[in-house]
Amino acid sequence: MNYYQLLELETTNPTVGQLKKAFRDASKKYHPDKNTEDTTDKFLEVKTASEILSQGFTKSAYDLFGQTKFD
């Protein structure tokens, strides 16, 4: 899955504020304590997406090579 889509970001160049808000919204949506379904894997994906997209070097690598570089 595309990390930008997972975090429901409309741009591939989000500001720090947009990224933080998207992470907060997605983490609330998929948090295991807030859901009756098993969303642990999705929650961990959201966390990974946020970590990758929030750091300049890893974001650049993700933009160039996609998710295969991080699997």
Side-chain angles (χ1 to χ4, degrees):
M1 169 171 269
N2 183 332
Y3 286 156
Y4 295 106
Q5 291 174 348
L6 178 65
L7 294 176
E8 299 177 6
L9 289 165
E10 296 176 7
T11 179
T12 58
N13 195 17
T15 65
V16 174
Q18 288 172 323
L19 187 58
K20 285 182 180 182
K21 183 180 181 328
F23 172 69
R24 260 192 319 263
D25 293 344
S27 63
K28 286 179 188 176
K29 181 177 179 181
Y30 296 115
H31 197 282
D33 291 343
K34 303 271 183 180
N35 290 291
T36 56
E37 302 170 12
D38 184 23
T39 57
T40 304
D41 292 337
K42 197 67 142 178
F43 179 75
L44 292 175
E45 266 188 275
V46 165
K47 183 177 180 235
T48 301
S50 176
E51 289 172 353
I52 288 173
L53 296 179
S54 66
Q55 298 174 5
F57 179 75
T58 56
K59 180 187 179 304
S60 296
Y62 178 78
D63 290 342
L64 286 174
F65 302 111
Q67 191 170 351
T68 56
K69 172 114 173 111
F70 299 97
D71 286 340

